[in-house]
Amino acid sequence: MYKIAVLGDRDSIYGFAALGLEIFPVQDKEAGARTLRQLADQGYGVIYITEELAAGLEEEMARYRESLLPAVIPIPGVRGNTGMGIAMVKRSVEQAVGSDIIFRGE
């Protein structure tokens, strides 16, 4: 079974520990990039990362975009939702299916 990690600022990720997920609070993008690499190297299957931190780690996250594991998934933090997570899921679906499956009838 793969391990699941949550990476981001302490206020945003602290509650995930109550769900039994391993949390990794970081203060800045350099520590975030280092921790993301370490988690990937340690065999984590899913790494949730706050959108705010992920926005500063585009290059680092690109390393894992084409690989099966780990799945690096942006989640909203305490400062709100930036839409990054939804955009990444949409991009992945478009790549897999070949078109945009979200229809917005107007």
Side-chain angles (χ1 to χ4, degrees):
M1 179 178 257
Y2 291 104
K3 299 182 282 184
I4 301 173
V6 185
L7 180 62
D9 64 278
R10 184 173 181 77
D11 291 340
S12 295
I13 67 170
Y14 191 73
F16 287 96
L19 299 173
L21 304 179
E22 294 183 56
I23 61 169
F24 296 87
V26 296
Q27 298 296 325
D28 55 51
K29 68 179 183 178
E30 289 80 19
R34 186 174 52 251
T35 305
L36 180 59
R37 283 191 302 271
Q38 289 171 347
L39 294 172
D41 291 344
Q42 292 172 7
Y44 281 80
V46 177
I47 302 170
Y48 293 106
I49 182 170
T50 59
E51 290 178 336
E52 185 175 0
L53 179 60
L57 300 179
E58 288 292 334
E59 184 176 314
E60 196 65 39
M61 290 180 57
R63 289 183 182 192
Y64 307 109
R65 192 166 290 131
E66 298 298 322
S67 61
L68 183 60
L69 293 175
V72 181
I73 304 167
I75 58 173
V78 293
R79 290 179 186 82
N81 183 352
T82 66
M84 177 187 229
I86 292 294
M88 287 184 67
V89 169
K90 182 179 176 193
R91 191 173 346 151
S92 295
V93 169
E94 286 175 357
Q95 184 178 8
V97 176
S99 70
D100 183 359
I101 63 167
I102 299 175
F103 174 76
R104 294 185 182 162
E106 296 181 29

